[in-house]
Amino acid sequence: MEPQEQTHGSDGNDCSVSGFDSAEKVIMKWDATASEEAREKMIFTDPQEVKLYLHAVDEIQRYVSSAGELETRANSAIQIAMARLEDEFRNILVSHSSPINSDSLMSSSSSSSHLEVEEDASNNDEDDQEEETDLLKRTGSSSSSSSATVRLPTGRGSYSRSTSSIREIELIPIDAVVYLSWIARRMVSAGYLRECIQVYGSVRKSAVDSSFRRLGIEKLSIGDVQRLNWEALEQKIRRWIRAAKICVRVVFASEKLLCEHVFESVGAVNIHEACFMETVKGPAIQLFNFAEAISISRRSPEKLFKILDLHDALIELLPDIESVFDLKSSDSIRVQAAEILSRLAEAARGILSEFENAVLREPSRVPVPGGTIHPLTRYVMNYISLISEYRPTLVDLIMSKPSRNATDSNAPEMDFSEVENKGPLALHLIWIILILQFNLEGKSKYYRDAALSHLFVMNNVHYIVQKIKGSAELREMIGDLYLRKLTGKFRQAATYYLSRRTQILEKLSPAYRSFLGRFRSHIESGKHPENYIKITVEELETEVLDLFEGLTATQQHQRRRSE
């Protein structure tokens, strides 16, 4: 039970003066500026001293504005008392402030809805009194009065609780919370509200900063983040997503709960809000500045998927952010989170558009040896396969169909009439495949051999078809109708390629066979016939087939040696 003001007898002033003198002696005994012993010891380590000191403060406070002869002494004593209580307040906070252990909190985002502390309104006064008595036994305080008790939820000796996602834990033991509440009430009553908030906020902010360091959250400005190379940023984004969930759902939520319990019995309006924001506003801004820096950074295709990871993490956290920062004073935090989410969505849309332009205008002109698969084809198809894996997010973000600049002659015509039932995201994927084909057809013209040109188209379209068929998500989005169109393109190139090969062999083989029939005997009867007849008809046909398979002369030679 919190120490109460002493009552006085009817003989008035003598008793009052006596009570004031006794209280003043207690205050002066603990004046750290006048006593070495007072500097070395703390009051709130001894429950009996706590009781005496708080009674003394309450007694002195009665005379602060009394306009009587004791007012001057009371004002002086109360200043000394408040300085002492401020030191005690700070010491209790510091001695019970330690960073949260991240390893023990990794399951916080999936906490059950079990309520660890029950605050059942149906409990009767007798039950409440029993809880308070039990609490007071642990704090060593008297239970002689119940008119001004500090009521805290104490079930099973803890005030922590958890919901489906938010997990509020006990940051400071409840005995210490009670002491803090008692001190805060007297500091505020004496006009030391600002000092109380400053001490509380500075100590608890240091504890939050320590938790941030343990979670791997660095103090980086937006400029610092934007100067980091992408490989380093990828690692930091993964760490941020993991840490942000703990910060919001555990660290910030628990700090809010602690503020409520320390200051809920203090008379000042919204003091718990002020203390909460004094504690977490700086760390919260630090936390969200990282995501904001990513959202406004230079756009490039490789950033898309990490930006989507950030977006997904933030949209999952947004209800918890709104719950934890539901106070009027924390509007700026909620607004910042919502704006970052919007910018991440816009960044994802912008990156997809820039990726489409990059595919269309990829400038390489050197033919791929042998008409094999171009690196651009592999990159683009792997990229859109990943896009299809982010379908649930991108379906909500990509809301407009792809569009072609009517004045751009270097872009293919768009005709989506056959796939008009597809959503915007699917149409963007089809458009990317279309402009990839358009680019590849341009690259096929750099081959001097028409057969290799068709082999190049055939190989690359075949790769595109196989990648679509290999991904259930991608195949569903592209659709069988467009897939059949791609397959038709492959068969067209293959047919032209095979026809070309057959036409050449039909003309070349009979001509070479006729040459050998007419001149073999003459050549072989002369000197060095091997200089004139180096291969047979069958070997010629094999070399032509090798040529159509894209084998170089060196590769053909290696194949013959292996045979």
Side-chain angles (χ1 to χ4, degrees), residues 324-365:
V324 173
F325 295 97
D326 62 344
L327 310 172
K328 179 66 177 176
S329 56
S330 55
D331 281 349
S332 60
I333 305 298
R334 297 195 306 276
V335 169
Q336 184 185 18
E339 288 178 346
I340 292 170
L341 190 63
S342 177
R343 282 194 289 267
L344 287 171
E346 185 57 38
R349 287 188 285 266
I351 289 174
L352 184 61
S353 176
E354 291 180 14
F355 176 72
E356 292 169 351
N357 290 330
V359 173
L360 178 63
R361 291 174 171 75
E362 198 281 326
S364 63
R365 297 191 174 198

mmCIF file of all heavy atoms in Angstrom, residues 324-365:
data_model
loop_
_atom_site.group_PDB
_atom_site.id
_atom_site.type_symbol
_atom_site.label_atom_id
_atom_site.label_comp_id
_atom_site.label_asym_id
_atom_site.label_seq_id
_atom_site.Cartn_x
_atom_site.Cartn_y
_atom_site.Cartn_z
ATOM 1 N N VAL A 324 -0.066 0.420 -31.903
ATOM 2 C CA VAL A 324 0.917 0.879 -30.913
ATOM 3 C C VAL A 324 0.989 2.407 -30.884
ATOM 4 O O VAL A 324 1.059 3.020 -29.823
ATOM 5 C CB VAL A 324 2.304 0.277 -31.223
ATOM 6 C CG1 VAL A 324 3.373 0.894 -30.305
ATOM 7 C CG2 VAL A 324 2.276 -1.240 -31.053
ATOM 8 N N PHE A 325 0.954 3.024 -32.077
ATOM 9 C CA PHE A 325 1.047 4.484 -32.162
ATOM 10 C C PHE A 325 -0.341 5.081 -32.423
ATOM 11 O O PHE A 325 -0.550 5.827 -33.383
ATOM 12 C CB PHE A 325 2.021 4.882 -33.277
ATOM 13 C CG PHE A 325 3.435 4.452 -33.011
ATOM 14 C CD1 PHE A 325 3.930 3.275 -33.555
ATOM 15 C CD2 PHE A 325 4.270 5.205 -32.202
ATOM 16 C CE1 PHE A 325 5.231 2.868 -33.315
ATOM 17 C CE2 PHE A 325 5.577 4.806 -31.949
ATOM 18 C CZ PHE A 325 6.060 3.633 -32.500
ATOM 19 N N ASP A 326 -1.280 4.745 -31.560
ATOM 20 C CA ASP A 326 -2.659 5.204 -31.738
ATOM 21 C C ASP A 326 -2.938 6.519 -31.028
ATOM 22 O O ASP A 326 -4.072 6.988 -31.001
ATOM 23 C CB ASP A 326 -3.635 4.135 -31.242
ATOM 24 C CG ASP A 326 -3.465 3.848 -29.743
ATOM 25 O OD1 ASP A 326 -2.428 4.225 -29.170
ATOM 26 O OD2 ASP A 326 -4.376 3.237 -29.156
ATOM 27 N N LEU A 327 -1.922 7.133 -30.471
ATOM 28 C CA LEU A 327 -2.101 8.376 -29.734
ATOM 29 C C LEU A 327 -2.030 9.574 -30.673
ATOM 30 O O LEU A 327 -1.403 9.522 -31.733
ATOM 31 C CB LEU A 327 -1.019 8.507 -28.656
ATOM 32 C CG LEU A 327 -0.830 7.281 -27.743
ATOM 33 C CD1 LEU A 327 0.393 7.465 -26.868
ATOM 34 C CD2 LEU A 327 -2.074 7.068 -26.898
ATOM 35 N N LYS A 328 -2.657 10.657 -30.272
ATOM 36 C CA LYS A 328 -2.633 11.871 -31.085
ATOM 37 C C LYS A 328 -1.210 12.365 -31.280
ATOM 38 O O LYS A 328 -0.837 12.828 -32.367
ATOM 39 C CB LYS A 328 -3.486 12.947 -30.398
ATOM 40 C CG LYS A 328 -3.532 14.281 -31.135
ATOM 41 C CD LYS A 328 -4.227 14.149 -32.464
ATOM 42 C CE LYS A 328 -4.336 15.515 -33.155
ATOM 43 N NZ LYS A 328 -4.925 15.404 -34.515
ATOM 44 N N SER A 329 -0.399 12.231 -30.247
ATOM 45 C CA SER A 329 0.973 12.719 -30.313
ATOM 46 C C SER A 329 1.860 11.888 -31.233
ATOM 47 O O SER A 329 2.969 12.301 -31.565
ATOM 48 C CB SER A 329 1.593 12.739 -28.906
ATOM 49 O OG SER A 329 1.522 11.440 -28.319
ATOM 50 N N SER A 330 1.394 10.720 -31.641
ATOM 51 C CA SER A 330 2.213 9.855 -32.503
ATOM 52 C C SER A 330 1.666 9.794 -33.927
ATOM 53 O O SER A 330 1.967 8.871 -34.677
ATOM 54 C CB SER A 330 2.309 8.447 -31.910
ATOM 55 O OG SER A 330 1.027 7.898 -31.673
ATOM 56 N N ASP A 331 0.861 10.801 -34.299
ATOM 57 C CA ASP A 331 0.338 10.870 -35.666
ATOM 58 C C ASP A 331 1.457 10.799 -36.703
ATOM 59 O O ASP A 331 1.326 10.155 -37.739
ATOM 60 C CB ASP A 331 -0.450 12.169 -35.878
ATOM 61 C CG ASP A 331 -1.860 12.086 -35.298
ATOM 62 O OD1 ASP A 331 -2.278 10.972 -34.923
ATOM 63 O OD2 ASP A 331 -2.528 13.127 -35.208
ATOM 64 N N SER A 332 2.557 11.493 -36.431
ATOM 65 C CA SER A 332 3.643 11.586 -37.413
ATOM 66 C C SER A 332 4.237 10.223 -37.729
ATOM 67 O O SER A 332 4.662 9.969 -38.866
ATOM 68 C CB SER A 332 4.743 12.523 -36.899
ATOM 69 O OG SER A 332 5.278 12.041 -35.664
ATOM 70 N N ILE A 333 4.282 9.329 -36.736
ATOM 71 C CA ILE A 333 4.828 7.990 -36.968
ATOM 72 C C ILE A 333 3.915 7.197 -37.891
ATOM 73 O O ILE A 333 4.369 6.554 -38.846
ATOM 74 C CB ILE A 333 5.015 7.239 -35.632
ATOM 75 C CG1 ILE A 333 5.893 8.051 -34.660
ATOM 76 C CG2 ILE A 333 5.604 5.859 -35.884
ATOM 77 C CD1 ILE A 333 7.282 8.296 -35.150
ATOM 78 N N ARG A 334 2.626 7.254 -37.615
ATOM 79 C CA ARG A 334 1.664 6.544 -38.472
ATOM 80 C C ARG A 334 1.698 7.087 -39.902
ATOM 81 O O ARG A 334 1.669 6.326 -40.871
ATOM 82 C CB ARG A 334 0.245 6.652 -37.911
ATOM 83 C CG ARG A 334 0.063 6.009 -36.561
ATOM 84 C CD ARG A 334 -1.413 5.829 -36.235
ATOM 85 N NE ARG A 334 -2.172 7.059 -36.334
ATOM 86 C CZ ARG A 334 -2.267 7.958 -35.363
ATOM 87 N NH1 ARG A 334 -1.643 7.748 -34.212
ATOM 88 N NH2 ARG A 334 -2.994 9.049 -35.522
ATOM 89 N N VAL A 335 1.766 8.394 -40.025
ATOM 90 C CA VAL A 335 1.786 9.011 -41.345
ATOM 91 C C VAL A 335 3.054 8.620 -42.098
ATOM 92 O O VAL A 335 3.006 8.300 -43.298
ATOM 93 C CB VAL A 335 1.683 10.552 -41.223
ATOM 94 C CG1 VAL A 335 1.962 11.221 -42.562
ATOM 95 C CG2 VAL A 335 0.307 10.952 -40.716
ATOM 96 N N GLN A 336 4.195 8.633 -41.401
ATOM 97 C CA GLN A 336 5.454 8.255 -42.052
ATOM 98 C C GLN A 336 5.393 6.832 -42.585
ATOM 99 O O GLN A 336 5.800 6.563 -43.718
ATOM 100 C CB GLN A 336 6.632 8.396 -41.081
ATOM 101 C CG GLN A 336 7.983 8.101 -41.750
ATOM 102 C CD GLN A 336 9.144 8.106 -40.771
ATOM 103 O OE1 GLN A 336 8.948 7.997 -39.555
ATOM 104 N NE2 GLN A 336 10.356 8.212 -41.281
ATOM 105 N N ALA A 337 4.871 5.907 -41.785
ATOM 106 C CA ALA A 337 4.780 4.505 -42.211
ATOM 107 C C ALA A 337 3.883 4.357 -43.439
ATOM 108 O O ALA A 337 4.221 3.640 -44.392
ATOM 109 C CB ALA A 337 4.269 3.637 -41.067
ATOM 110 N N ALA A 338 2.739 5.042 -43.423
ATOM 111 C CA ALA A 338 1.817 4.960 -44.562
ATOM 112 C C ALA A 338 2.437 5.561 -45.820
ATOM 113 O O ALA A 338 2.270 5.021 -46.923
ATOM 114 C CB ALA A 338 0.512 5.668 -44.223
ATOM 115 N N GLU A 339 3.161 6.670 -45.672
ATOM 116 C CA GLU A 339 3.792 7.297 -46.836
ATOM 117 C C GLU A 339 4.904 6.425 -47.405
ATOM 118 O O GLU A 339 5.073 6.342 -48.635
ATOM 119 C CB GLU A 339 4.340 8.675 -46.448
ATOM 120 C CG GLU A 339 3.247 9.711 -46.211
ATOM 121 C CD GLU A 339 3.802 11.055 -45.790
ATOM 122 O OE1 GLU A 339 5.002 11.115 -45.429
ATOM 123 O OE2 GLU A 339 3.037 12.050 -45.812
ATOM 124 N N ILE A 340 5.663 5.785 -46.538
ATOM 125 C CA ILE A 340 6.721 4.876 -47.010
ATOM 126 C C ILE A 340 6.107 3.729 -47.799
ATOM 127 O O ILE A 340 6.617 3.340 -48.860
ATOM 128 C CB ILE A 340 7.541 4.333 -45.824
ATOM 129 C CG1 ILE A 340 8.357 5.450 -45.177
ATOM 130 C CG2 ILE A 340 8.473 3.201 -46.275
ATOM 131 C CD1 ILE A 340 9.000 5.060 -43.868
ATOM 132 N N LEU A 341 5.019 3.186 -47.293
ATOM 133 C CA LEU A 341 4.337 2.096 -47.981
ATOM 134 C C LEU A 341 3.903 2.538 -49.376
ATOM 135 O O LEU A 341 4.068 1.801 -50.361
ATOM 136 C CB LEU A 341 3.134 1.640 -47.160
ATOM 137 C CG LEU A 341 2.439 0.355 -47.598
ATOM 138 C CD1 LEU A 341 3.365 -0.833 -47.489
ATOM 139 C CD2 LEU A 341 1.188 0.123 -46.759
ATOM 140 N N SER A 342 3.357 3.730 -49.476
ATOM 141 C CA SER A 342 2.925 4.261 -50.776
ATOM 142 C C SER A 342 4.107 4.449 -51.715
ATOM 143 O O SER A 342 4.022 4.124 -52.909
ATOM 144 C CB SER A 342 2.198 5.599 -50.560
ATOM 145 O OG SER A 342 1.832 6.169 -51.786
ATOM 146 N N ARG A 343 5.228 4.950 -51.180
ATOM 147 C CA ARG A 343 6.407 5.173 -52.031
ATOM 148 C C ARG A 343 7.030 3.855 -52.479
ATOM 149 O O ARG A 343 7.553 3.754 -53.594
ATOM 150 C CB ARG A 343 7.429 6.036 -51.305
ATOM 151 C CG ARG A 343 7.070 7.519 -51.313
ATOM 152 C CD ARG A 343 8.253 8.372 -50.896
ATOM 153 N NE ARG A 343 8.529 8.230 -49.482
ATOM 154 C CZ ARG A 343 8.039 9.029 -48.544
ATOM 155 N NH1 ARG A 343 7.223 9.997 -48.872
ATOM 156 N NH2 ARG A 343 8.343 8.852 -47.282
ATOM 157 N N LEU A 344 7.009 2.839 -51.620
ATOM 158 C CA LEU A 344 7.525 1.525 -52.012
ATOM 159 C C LEU A 344 6.686 0.955 -53.160
ATOM 160 O O LEU A 344 7.231 0.358 -54.099
ATOM 161 C CB LEU A 344 7.516 0.566 -50.817
ATOM 162 C CG LEU A 344 8.570 0.824 -49.741
ATOM 163 C CD1 LEU A 344 8.294 -0.053 -48.518
ATOM 164 C CD2 LEU A 344 9.982 0.531 -50.274
ATOM 165 N N ALA A 345 5.378 1.134 -53.079
ATOM 166 C CA ALA A 345 4.499 0.658 -54.152
ATOM 167 C C ALA A 345 4.803 1.391 -55.453
ATOM 168 O O ALA A 345 4.887 0.765 -56.526
ATOM 169 C CB ALA A 345 3.040 0.855 -53.759
ATOM 170 N N GLU A 346 4.992 2.698 -55.361
ATOM 171 C CA GLU A 346 5.304 3.479 -56.559
ATOM 172 C C GLU A 346 6.671 3.093 -57.123
ATOM 173 O O GLU A 346 6.858 3.037 -58.356
ATOM 174 C CB GLU A 346 5.264 4.970 -56.224
ATOM 175 C CG GLU A 346 5.464 5.897 -57.415
ATOM 176 C CD GLU A 346 4.449 5.660 -58.512
ATOM 177 O OE1 GLU A 346 3.267 5.394 -58.200
ATOM 178 O OE2 GLU A 346 4.838 5.730 -59.695
ATOM 179 N N ALA A 347 7.625 2.821 -56.228
ATOM 180 C CA ALA A 347 8.955 2.391 -56.688
ATOM 181 C C ALA A 347 8.873 1.067 -57.441
ATOM 182 O O ALA A 347 9.524 0.884 -58.475
ATOM 183 C CB ALA A 347 9.906 2.255 -55.495
ATOM 184 N N ALA A 348 8.070 0.140 -56.952
ATOM 185 C CA ALA A 348 7.913 -1.159 -57.626
ATOM 186 C C ALA A 348 7.318 -0.973 -59.013
ATOM 187 O O ALA A 348 7.774 -1.582 -59.987
ATOM 188 C CB ALA A 348 7.029 -2.079 -56.784
ATOM 189 N N ARG A 349 6.302 -0.120 -59.133
ATOM 190 C CA ARG A 349 5.704 0.138 -60.445
ATOM 191 C C ARG A 349 6.712 0.787 -61.391
ATOM 192 O O ARG A 349 6.792 0.434 -62.580
ATOM 193 C CB ARG A 349 4.463 1.025 -60.290
ATOM 194 C CG ARG A 349 3.270 0.306 -59.682
ATOM 195 C CD ARG A 349 2.020 1.161 -59.734
ATOM 196 N NE ARG A 349 2.041 2.224 -58.741
ATOM 197 C CZ ARG A 349 1.506 2.131 -57.534
ATOM 198 N NH1 ARG A 349 0.905 1.019 -57.153
ATOM 199 N NH2 ARG A 349 1.557 3.148 -56.691
ATOM 200 N N GLY A 350 7.484 1.719 -60.851
ATOM 201 C CA GLY A 350 8.483 2.397 -61.674
ATOM 202 C C GLY A 350 9.577 1.466 -62.152
ATOM 203 O O GLY A 350 10.022 1.544 -63.309
ATOM 204 N N ILE A 351 10.022 0.589 -61.272
ATOM 205 C CA ILE A 351 11.077 -0.360 -61.646
ATOM 206 C C ILE A 351 10.597 -1.302 -62.739
ATOM 207 O O ILE A 351 11.331 -1.610 -63.685
ATOM 208 C CB ILE A 351 11.554 -1.153 -60.417
ATOM 209 C CG1 ILE A 351 12.361 -0.240 -59.481
ATOM 210 C CG2 ILE A 351 12.399 -2.356 -60.831
ATOM 211 C CD1 ILE A 351 12.758 -0.883 -58.175
ATOM 212 N N LEU A 352 9.356 -1.774 -62.638
ATOM 213 C CA LEU A 352 8.822 -2.669 -63.669
ATOM 214 C C LEU A 352 8.796 -1.958 -65.020
ATOM 215 O O LEU A 352 9.164 -2.546 -66.055
ATOM 216 C CB LEU A 352 7.421 -3.140 -63.289
ATOM 217 C CG LEU A 352 6.783 -4.157 -64.248
ATOM 218 C CD1 LEU A 352 7.611 -5.428 -64.309
ATOM 219 C CD2 LEU A 352 5.354 -4.475 -63.817
ATOM 220 N N SER A 353 8.395 -0.690 -65.031
ATOM 221 C CA SER A 353 8.358 0.071 -66.276
ATOM 222 C C SER A 353 9.761 0.260 -66.843
ATOM 223 O O SER A 353 9.982 0.112 -68.059
ATOM 224 C CB SER A 353 7.697 1.425 -66.019
ATOM 225 O OG SER A 353 7.719 2.223 -67.183
ATOM 226 N N GLU A 354 10.714 0.566 -65.972
ATOM 227 C CA GLU A 354 12.089 0.754 -66.427
ATOM 228 C C GLU A 354 12.698 -0.555 -66.915
ATOM 229 O O GLU A 354 13.514 -0.565 -67.842
ATOM 230 C CB GLU A 354 12.923 1.359 -65.308
ATOM 231 C CG GLU A 354 12.540 2.805 -64.993
ATOM 232 C CD GLU A 354 13.362 3.417 -63.882
ATOM 233 O OE1 GLU A 354 14.413 2.826 -63.531
ATOM 234 O OE2 GLU A 354 12.972 4.482 -63.363
ATOM 235 N N PHE A 355 12.312 -1.668 -66.288
ATOM 236 C CA PHE A 355 12.786 -2.971 -66.740
ATOM 237 C C PHE A 355 12.294 -3.255 -68.162
ATOM 238 O O PHE A 355 13.041 -3.745 -69.014
ATOM 239 C CB PHE A 355 12.305 -4.063 -65.784
ATOM 240 C CG PHE A 355 12.650 -5.456 -66.216
ATOM 241 C CD1 PHE A 355 13.958 -5.915 -66.158
ATOM 242 C CD2 PHE A 355 11.675 -6.310 -66.699
ATOM 243 C CE1 PHE A 355 14.282 -7.201 -66.561
ATOM 244 C CE2 PHE A 355 11.981 -7.596 -67.101
ATOM 245 C CZ PHE A 355 13.301 -8.039 -67.034
ATOM 246 N N GLU A 356 11.037 -2.930 -68.430
ATOM 247 C CA GLU A 356 10.488 -3.135 -69.774
ATOM 248 C C GLU A 356 11.273 -2.326 -70.810
ATOM 249 O O GLU A 356 11.606 -2.843 -71.884
ATOM 250 C CB GLU A 356 9.010 -2.736 -69.785
ATOM 251 C CG GLU A 356 8.136 -3.654 -68.961
ATOM 252 C CD GLU A 356 6.727 -3.116 -68.756
ATOM 253 O OE1 GLU A 356 6.471 -1.949 -69.114
ATOM 254 O OE2 GLU A 356 5.889 -3.861 -68.221
ATOM 255 N N ASN A 357 11.580 -1.087 -70.473
ATOM 256 C CA ASN A 357 12.351 -0.257 -71.398
ATOM 257 C C ASN A 357 13.758 -0.795 -71.598
ATOM 258 O O ASN A 357 14.300 -0.751 -72.707
ATOM 259 C CB ASN A 357 12.418 1.186 -70.882
ATOM 260 C CG ASN A 357 11.086 1.901 -70.972
ATOM 261 O OD1 ASN A 357 10.281 1.614 -71.851
ATOM 262 N ND2 ASN A 357 10.840 2.827 -70.052
ATOM 263 N N ALA A 358 14.351 -1.319 -70.512
ATOM 264 C CA ALA A 358 15.705 -1.872 -70.614
ATOM 265 C C ALA A 358 15.723 -3.108 -71.504
ATOM 266 O O ALA A 358 16.659 -3.309 -72.295
ATOM 267 C CB ALA A 358 16.225 -2.211 -69.219
ATOM 268 N N VAL A 359 14.704 -3.960 -71.413
ATOM 269 C CA VAL A 359 14.628 -5.154 -72.262
ATOM 270 C C VAL A 359 14.477 -4.755 -73.725
ATOM 271 O O VAL A 359 15.121 -5.319 -74.618
ATOM 272 C CB VAL A 359 13.451 -6.051 -71.836
ATOM 273 C CG1 VAL A 359 13.262 -7.213 -72.820
ATOM 274 C CG2 VAL A 359 13.677 -6.590 -70.434
ATOM 275 N N LEU A 360 13.638 -3.778 -73.969
ATOM 276 C CA LEU A 360 13.392 -3.340 -75.345
ATOM 277 C C LEU A 360 14.651 -2.772 -75.986
ATOM 278 O O LEU A 360 14.911 -3.002 -77.174
ATOM 279 C CB LEU A 360 12.277 -2.285 -75.344
ATOM 280 C CG LEU A 360 11.905 -1.681 -76.695
ATOM 281 C CD1 LEU A 360 11.356 -2.760 -77.636
ATOM 282 C CD2 LEU A 360 10.890 -0.554 -76.526
ATOM 283 N N ARG A 361 15.452 -2.075 -75.178
ATOM 284 C CA ARG A 361 16.585 -1.333 -75.753
ATOM 285 C C ARG A 361 17.944 -1.942 -75.420
ATOM 286 O O ARG A 361 18.964 -1.270 -75.587
ATOM 287 C CB ARG A 361 16.524 0.115 -75.268
ATOM 288 C CG ARG A 361 15.340 0.859 -75.861
ATOM 289 C CD ARG A 361 15.172 2.250 -75.286
ATOM 290 N NE ARG A 361 14.165 2.988 -76.029
ATOM 291 C CZ ARG A 361 12.855 2.801 -75.930
ATOM 292 N NH1 ARG A 361 12.392 1.893 -75.075
ATOM 293 N NH2 ARG A 361 12.007 3.485 -76.650
ATOM 294 N N GLU A 362 17.973 -3.179 -74.956
ATOM 295 C CA GLU A 362 19.267 -3.835 -74.681
ATOM 296 C C GLU A 362 20.087 -3.828 -75.971
ATOM 297 O O GLU A 362 19.664 -4.354 -76.999
ATOM 298 C CB GLU A 362 19.023 -5.260 -74.193
ATOM 299 C CG GLU A 362 20.209 -5.887 -73.482
ATOM 300 C CD GLU A 362 21.271 -6.405 -74.457
ATOM 301 O OE1 GLU A 362 20.894 -6.875 -75.539
ATOM 302 O OE2 GLU A 362 22.467 -6.345 -74.111
ATOM 303 N N PRO A 363 21.306 -3.221 -75.952
ATOM 304 C CA PRO A 363 21.960 -2.832 -77.206
ATOM 305 C C PRO A 363 22.947 -3.824 -77.821
ATOM 306 O O PRO A 363 23.495 -3.540 -78.884
ATOM 307 C CB PRO A 363 22.700 -1.560 -76.786
ATOM 308 C CG PRO A 363 23.088 -1.822 -75.353
ATOM 309 C CD PRO A 363 22.002 -2.670 -74.779
ATOM 310 N N SER A 364 23.226 -4.951 -77.182
ATOM 311 C CA SER A 364 24.307 -5.819 -77.676
ATOM 312 C C SER A 364 24.064 -6.246 -79.119
ATOM 313 O O SER A 364 22.946 -6.594 -79.503
ATOM 314 C CB SER A 364 24.446 -7.048 -76.780
ATOM 315 O OG SER A 364 23.281 -7.834 -76.822
ATOM 316 N N ARG A 365 25.154 -6.239 -79.916
ATOM 317 C CA ARG A 365 25.041 -6.556 -81.346
ATOM 318 C C ARG A 365 25.902 -7.743 -81.756
ATOM 319 O O ARG A 365 25.808 -8.197 -82.897
ATOM 320 C CB ARG A 365 25.455 -5.345 -82.183
ATOM 321 C CG ARG A 365 24.554 -4.133 -81.982
ATOM 322 C CD ARG A 365 24.841 -3.069 -83.001
ATOM 323 N NE ARG A 365 23.886 -1.974 -82.910
ATOM 324 C CZ ARG A 365 23.680 -1.093 -83.883
ATOM 325 N NH1 ARG A 365 24.365 -1.186 -85.000
ATOM 326 N NH2 ARG A 365 22.794 -0.128 -83.721
#
